[in-house]
């Protein structure tokens, strides 16, 4: 897990800085100012979908092994 944290510490600034540059000129109150946060929420949603599919597959495989 610490390897993933280290990887994100290196990659996150390279992704976040361009997103902040894209929205920094927008007027106060514009919904697009939150784009970096929306992007992070999208990534977390994708991670959730991957985790759900992984654990469903593991449960299905465990059930098949128990039936044999």
């Amino acid at each position: 897990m610490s390897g993933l944290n280290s990887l994100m510490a290196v990659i996150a600034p390279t992704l976040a800085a361009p997103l902040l540059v894209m929205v920094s000129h927008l007027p106060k109150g514009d919904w697009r100012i939150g784009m970096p946060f929306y992007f992070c929420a999208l990534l977390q949603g994708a991670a959730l979908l991957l985790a759900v599919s992984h654990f469903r597959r593991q449960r299905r495989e465990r059930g098949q092994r128990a039936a044999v």
Side-chain angles (χ1 to χ4, degrees), residues 13-34:
T14 61
L15 294 176
L19 287 174
L20 289 173
V21 167
M22 289 172 54
V23 299
S24 64
H25 68 283
L26 296 172
K28 181 180 178 180
D30 192 331
W31 67 271
R32 293 173 292 176
I33 291 175

Side-chain angles (χ1 to χ4, degrees), residues 6-19 39:
S6 298
L7 179 65
M8 288 312 299
V10 172
I11 293 176
T14 61
L15 294 176
L19 287 174
F39 179 69

